[in-house]
Amino acid sequence: MTPELQELASIDRVIHEPVRLMLMTVLYAANEADFLYLQRECGLTQGNLSSHLARLEETEYITIEKTFKGKYPLTICRLTRKGREAFEEYARKMRVVAESVG
Amino acid sequence: MTPELQELASIDRVIHEPVRLMLMTVLYAANEADFLYLQRECGLTQGNLSSHLARLEETEYITIEKTFKGKYPLTICRLTRKGREAFEEYARKMRVVAESVG
């Protein structure tokens, strides 16, 4: 097996799942975002977003802080250092695919 | 939703699955390859390879030709034009992720 293929064989499936890939791409750029912003930005239902965020929290790629803005509940998601590094590693591996096409 | 996120939301899940992504990457570079080569190159069991190739054939991304080399069966997998274009489109979308990391 070539090293490039080995990289793909060991791709991080937590990040690879398309909805989580969108979330990680947004969070990598913004570092933190609230629930409603993520929901709108990624075009997700509340339930779908919740379950994917829970999976990212479980893996310690993000933290989720529930707070208030005035009377309104506010849920802030933040990329952790572990999440940032995992996304960078993932993007490095996907570069192999992106670059295999002229 | 930004155009970049829209691209990820509509990612081709046939190609996105990690084993099939390896197979498509190899076939895109080589254009054709026999079963044993793919099995060795991607580190797959026979059953696992068979089922992923069947999925790629179903989508018309590859053709599978069963033939003989002397007495030995030989199974040749070839990327179709549709498969080549789908992979190029996929790689273009993944470039967004690859490039989002400096």
Side-chain angles (χ1 to χ4, degrees), chain B:
Chain B
M1 206 191 297
T2 65
E4 288 77 12
L5 285 181
Q6 250 159 5
E7 306 251 61
L8 291 182
S10 64
I11 206 83
D12 185 335
R13 291 183 186 229
V14 173
I15 300 179
H16 195 60
E17 195 288 326
V19 171
R20 291 195 292 267
L21 184 52
M22 292 171 76
L23 294 172
M24 290 294 282
T25 304
V26 173
L27 286 170
Y28 185 82
N31 207 39
E32 65 176 57
D34 74 69
F35 191 94
L36 288 176
Y37 175 83
L38 287 174
Q39 199 186 335
R40 205 177 45 235
E41 196 65 8
C42 300
L44 301 169
T45 64
Q46 199 172 319
N48 197 13
L49 176 54
S50 284
S51 76
H52 284 299
L53 288 178
R55 184 87 178 82
L56 291 174
E57 190 185 28
E58 222 174 84
T59 333
E60 297 174 345
Y61 286 175
I62 65 167
T63 57
I64 303 178
E65 185 195 355
K66 298 195 181 206
T67 171
F68 285 89
K69 186 178 181 177
K71 315 190 283 188
Y72 301 100
L74 189 68
T75 299
I76 311 268
C77 306
R78 283 192 188 85
L79 201 64
T80 62
R81 190 189 170 117
K82 184 178 173 185
R84 178 161 289 274
E85 286 172 358
F87 185 77
E88 285 169 354
E89 174 74 0
Y90 177 87
R92 194 181 59 70
K93 290 181 178 188
M94 291 314 289
R95 205 165 296 147
V96 170
V97 175
E99 285 174 1
S100 70
V101 168

Side-chain angles (χ1 to χ4, degrees), chain A residues 33-40 46 49-50 53 75-77:
Chain A
D34 74 69
F35 191 93
L36 288 176
Y37 175 84
L38 288 174
Q39 197 185 338
R40 206 177 44 236
Q46 200 173 319
L49 175 55
S50 285
L53 288 178
T75 299
I76 310 268
C77 306

Side-chain angles (χ1 to χ4, degrees), chain A residues 15-16 23 43 55 57 62 68 77 89-90 94 97 100-101:
Chain A
I15 299 179
H16 195 59
L23 295 171
R55 184 85 178 83
E57 189 184 31
I62 66 167
F68 285 88
C77 306
E89 174 74 1
Y90 177 87
M94 291 314 290
V97 175
S100 71
V101 168

Side-chain angles (χ1 to χ4, degrees), chain A residues 41-61:
Chain A
E41 195 65 9
C42 300
L44 300 170
T45 64
Q46 200 173 319
N48 197 13
L49 175 55
S50 285
S51 76
H52 285 298
L53 288 178
R55 184 85 178 83
L56 290 173
E57 189 184 31
E58 221 176 85
T59 334
E60 297 173 346
Y61 286 174

Side-chain angles (χ1 to χ4, degrees), chain A residues 67-74:
Chain A
T67 170
F68 285 88
K69 187 179 177 177
K71 319 189 280 189
Y72 301 101
L74 189 70

